[in-house]
Amino acid sequence: MNYKPKIMDLYILIQLVLISGAATSAMTWFSYFMSKNYRKLYKEPVLLSSVLVQMNIDITNECKNNLGWFLHFVIGFLFVSVYHILWAEDILAVSPLSALILGVISGIIGIISWVFIFKITHYRPPLGFRDYYIQLFFAHIIFTMVATALYFLTLILLIVTKAYFTI
């Protein structure tokens, strides 16, 4: 392919929103599946909501639940945006190997982030932390695999769309 995407335009913003939504959903599905299988609380949006409850923020519980989900998807968008920059600037190729590398790095960042969140909020959810972090690591690999595959597919669609349509 001889098309080099810009860092950001309307097409790419839409592309990244769709990709991050699908990748975050895939990751969340995996976490919910693991939660159900192992009867543990591995659900990131629920944990985020619980952290908000722990912080005594003066909003309703329903708002905290919605905010937990919103934050989960915003964080997914931020991860995909960083991947996009790495791919658009030819720092990494759009490939299964780069997906694995980004998944490992993202998994480590996710684990460090949750350790930090639990530490600063003094929230101790009823879960086995070692098992949760292992699950979280693999959830991030799933996230990046889905994001990479969809990025590749939408890049092809973006090339075709830009050739025939303007916004």
Side-chain angles (χ1 to χ4, degrees), residues 26-138:
M27 173 186 174
T28 305
W29 177 86
F30 175 76
S31 295
Y32 271 66
F33 174 79
M34 296 301 284
S35 271
K36 185 175 181 184
N37 257 13
Y38 292 98
R39 298 173 195 249
K40 301 279 185 179
L41 178 60
Y42 294 155
K43 305 169 182 176
E44 292 84 12
V46 174
L47 287 168
L48 284 168
S49 298
S50 297
V51 165
L52 293 171
V53 168
Q54 189 73 17
M55 294 171 65
N56 294 320
I57 298 172
D58 191 24
I59 54 177
T60 66
N61 282 341
E62 182 181 353
C63 192
K64 289 174 187 171
N65 290 338
N66 292 336
L67 189 55
W69 279 96
F70 178 74
L71 289 172
H72 187 53
F73 278 91
V74 167
I75 292 165
F77 177 79
L78 295 174
F79 270 97
V80 169
S81 296
V82 170
Y83 303 163
H84 165 69
I85 292 167
L86 294 171
W87 292 324
E89 294 298 316
D90 290 328
I91 296 168
L92 287 174
V94 181
S95 70
L97 179 59
S98 77
L100 183 59
I101 291 167
L102 291 171
V104 168
I105 293 168
S106 298
I108 292 168
I109 290 169
I111 291 167
I112 291 169
S113 298
W114 277 106
V115 167
F116 180 73
I117 289 167
F118 292 143
K119 188 166 187 75
I120 64 167
T121 62
H122 304 291
Y123 177 57
R124 300 289 173 255
L127 54 83
F129 285 99
R130 185 183 72 98
D131 294 338
Y132 172 66
Y133 295 134
I134 290 169
Q135 176 276 150
L136 185 66
F137 181 79
F138 286 105

